[in-house]
Structures are given as C-alpha cells and as structure tokens.
C-alpha cells in the first residue's frame, strides 16, 4: 500500500507541477511566435521559427528601460530602508528593556492582522496632502519598514544569548557597535533573505504604484507592463515578449540565490 500511495503522490506532484509551469512555458513560447502563430486556432504550443525580434520590438514600443530603472531604484532603496529599520527595531525588542515594550509588541502584532488594502487609501491621502504624488518619495516612504520582517528577525535573535550583549556593554561597546560587530554578522543569512524577498516584493508591486504615479516616467515595471498590454491592443506576441522580459530577472535572481533563501528561512526561527 505504501508503494501505491507513493506512486499516486508522485503522479499528483507531477500533474500539479505541469499545471503550474504550463502558463509560464507557454508565455515564453508565445513570445517567440509570430502574430499569426500566436492567434492561430487551434493554438500552437511551439513556434515554427523563433522570432527573437519580438523582444526588441516590445522594448521599442514602450519605455521599458525607464520602467526597469525606476523599479530597480525604488526596490533597492526600499530594501536598504527596510533592512535598517528591521535591524534597529529587532535589536530594541530583543535586547533592550523599556517601559511599554509589551504593549508596543502587541500593537505591532495587531498590525499584522490588518490587510494592506484597508489602509492603502489612508496612506494615499497622506501622500497627497504632503504633495508627493508622482514622485519617488511616494513609492519609497510607505515601505521603509515591515512589521513582519521585524518579528522574523526578532525570532532569530532569540537564539542569541543575551550574555553576548551584556559582555559587549561591559567591554564598553555602544549599542551600535554591538549591532555592527556582533549582531549583524550573526544574522547576516536572515538579513540576506529579508533583503532578497523584500526586493522581489518591490519588483512585483502593482496596486500602490498605480495609485500614486500618473506619468510614464514614474511607472514601475508591473504598471508599465499593464499599460503596454492595453496600448499594444491585439499584438499578443509583443505582450508575451514584454511579460517574459519582466519576469525573467526575478526568476534568474531566485535560481541564483534559492539556497540562501531556503537556508535563511530555516534559520529564521519562524515555525508553522
């Protein structure tokens, strides 16, 4: 019976993998097809002759270079800001004792229960009143901290003996010296995971950027792709080429650093 169940489980995994991968593989195949092939009935699964020129035409049809620059810049700044606030907040919650600490932690945990969509219009109103619409500041400021990543790192720091901090203080080290020389080296794997996941989240962000940007020059890659799908009309092969261009950098990033991501998650101390 065990062999039968293992065989059924293996078949189920293969089927689910095929269902998951098929849209992505078909997107790449369609990006290499001509317009006639991609709109043919019945649909073709592979191009008769790969049309690599589709990628160049898609890049010419919309300012994707600008979208890429905007997305990389915003994602990097957000990631650096998130790492900074995460390290400082996790250090304070784990190693420092101050009045109202438990109340603050409970309040922050409560914030995790609030969906982003509920507060998005409050954030929009704040950004609008500050006159920051259609600026990089509007894309960056609301995402300079993450309660989830703060508690992610805090859980990891629970495994660090408090005696390390006490000894550092006895030796005359300041809090920032302890963070820089002791804490960060010990949790650099978790910080790498946080940074990478935060960058990927920034790359894929869609709802907030489309609310606070109005011009092409300020669009991020996801918004630019959505606008291009509307502007390109029936040019499905170019839409698929643009989608492939958008997705590939993140996939390459994941395959290069997948071991670090898995290792960081396993060391992060969050248990399901």
């Amino acid at each position: 019976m065990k062999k039968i169940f293992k065989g059924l489980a293996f078949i189920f995994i293969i089927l689910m993998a095929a269902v998951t991968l098929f849209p992505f593989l078909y997107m790449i195949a369609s990006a290499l097809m001509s317009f006639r092939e991609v709109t043919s009935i019945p649909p073709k699964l592979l191009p008769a002759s790969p049309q690599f020129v589709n990628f160049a035409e898609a890049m010419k049809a919309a300012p994707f270079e600008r979208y890429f620059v905007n997305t990389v810049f915003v994602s990097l700044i957000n990631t650096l800001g998130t790492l900074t606030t995460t390290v400082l907040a996790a250090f304070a919650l784990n190693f420092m004792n101050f009045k109202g600490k438990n109340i603050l932690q409970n309040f922050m945990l409560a914030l995790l229960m609030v969906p982003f969509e509920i507060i998005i219009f409050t954030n929009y109103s704040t950004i609008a009143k500050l006159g920051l619409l259609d600026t990089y500041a509007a894309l960056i400021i609301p995402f300079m901290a993450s309660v989830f990543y703060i508690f992610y790192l805090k859980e990891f720091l629970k495994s660090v003996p408090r005696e390390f901090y006490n000894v550092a203080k006895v030796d005359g080290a300041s809090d920032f010296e302890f963070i820089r020389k002791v804490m960060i080296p010990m949790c650099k794997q978790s910080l790498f995971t946080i940074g990478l996941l935060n960058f990927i989240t920034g790359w894929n962000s869609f709802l907030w950027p489309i609310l606070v940007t109005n011009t092409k020059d300020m669009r991020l890659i996801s918004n630019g792709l959505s606008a291009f799908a509307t502007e390109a009309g029936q040019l499905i092969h170019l839409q698929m080429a643009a989608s492939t261009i958008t997705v590939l950098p993140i996939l390459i990033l994941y395959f290069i650093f997948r071991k670090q991501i898995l290792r960081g998650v396993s060391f992060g101390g969050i248990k399901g």
Side-chain angles (χ1 to χ4, degrees):
M1 289 294 293
K2 288 185 178 180
K3 291 184 177 180
I4 294 176
F5 281 122
K6 286 183 178 179
L8 291 175
F10 180 75
I11 293 173
F12 178 77
I13 292 172
I14 294 297
L15 288 175
M16 290 300 100
V19 170
T20 303
L21 289 174
F22 177 76
F24 174 71
L25 296 176
Y26 184 71
M27 177 187 70
I28 296 177
S30 299
L32 298 172
M33 293 181 187
S34 65
F35 176 77
R36 180 175 296 179
E37 287 177 323
V38 80
T39 56
S40 64
I41 298 176
K44 294 186 177 181
L45 296 180
L46 295 172
S49 177
Q51 304 292 316
F52 291 100
V53 70
N54 290 345
F55 296 102
E57 290 182 7
M59 293 294 286
K60 291 179 181 178
F64 280 100
E65 296 89 349
R66 178 72 183 189
Y67 301 159
F68 272 101
V69 171
N70 288 343
T71 307
V72 171
F73 175 73
V74 171
S75 299
L76 281 177
I77 298 299
N78 280 340
T79 298
L80 292 175
T82 299
L83 287 174
T84 301
T85 55
T86 297
V87 167
L88 295 177
F91 164 78
L93 293 176
N94 196 75
F95 293 106
M96 300 183 71
N97 293 316
F98 52 89
K99 188 176 181 179
K101 178 179 177 179
N102 290 332
I103 296 175
L104 177 61
Q105 288 188 95
N106 292 333
F107 178 74
M108 293 173 67
L109 282 171
L111 290 177
L112 289 175
M113 307 300 150
V114 180
F116 175 71
E117 290 77 9
I118 292 178
I119 62 173
I120 191 169
F121 292 108
T122 302
N123 288 343
Y124 176 83
S125 177
T126 303
I127 292 296
K129 289 178 180 178
L130 293 173
L132 298 177
L133 291 178
D134 211 34
T135 65
Y136 286 118
L139 296 168
I140 293 172
I141 292 176
F143 303 98
M144 292 290 281
S146 169
V147 175
F148 174 79
Y149 289 138
I150 289 172
F151 279 95
Y152 175 91
L153 187 61
K154 179 181 177 294
E155 289 301 311
F156 172 81
L157 291 176
K158 283 184 177 179
S159 63
V160 178
R162 187 177 176 81
E163 286 74 16
F164 285 13
Y165 177 69
N166 295 334
V167 170
K169 297 300 289 183
V170 170
D171 288 343
S174 66
D175 289 339
F176 286 106
E177 287 177 325
F178 173 77
I179 292 173
R180 181 168 56 88
K181 296 181 180 179
V182 179
M183 191 179 111
I184 290 179
M186 293 187 70
C187 60
K188 60 182 180 180
Q189 192 64 58
S190 293
L191 291 176
F192 180 85
T193 302
I194 291 171
L196 191 57
L197 293 178
N198 193 80
F199 183 87
I200 292 173
T201 300
W203 185 277
N204 293 328
S205 61
F206 178 81
L207 181 58
W208 178 253
I210 206 172
L211 281 176
V212 298
T213 59
N214 301 315
T215 62
K216 283 187 176 182
D217 289 341
M218 295 305 302
R219 284 176 182 169
L220 300 190
I221 192 70
S222 296
N223 309 123
L225 179 62
S226 176
F228 177 73
T230 302
E231 295 165 1
Q234 299 298 318
L235 301 178
I236 301 175
H237 59 307
L238 296 187
Q239 295 180 30
M240 292 298 182
S243 299
T244 303
I245 293 171
T246 302
V247 171
L248 280 181
I250 290 300
L251 286 179
I252 293 172
L253 196 65
Y254 171 76
F255 282 115
I256 292 175
F257 298 110
R258 66 185 184 281
K259 292 183 179 179
Q260 288 86 342
I261 293 175
L262 295 175
R263 193 179 301 121
V265 171
S266 66
F267 289 163
I270 293 180
K271 299 179 181 179

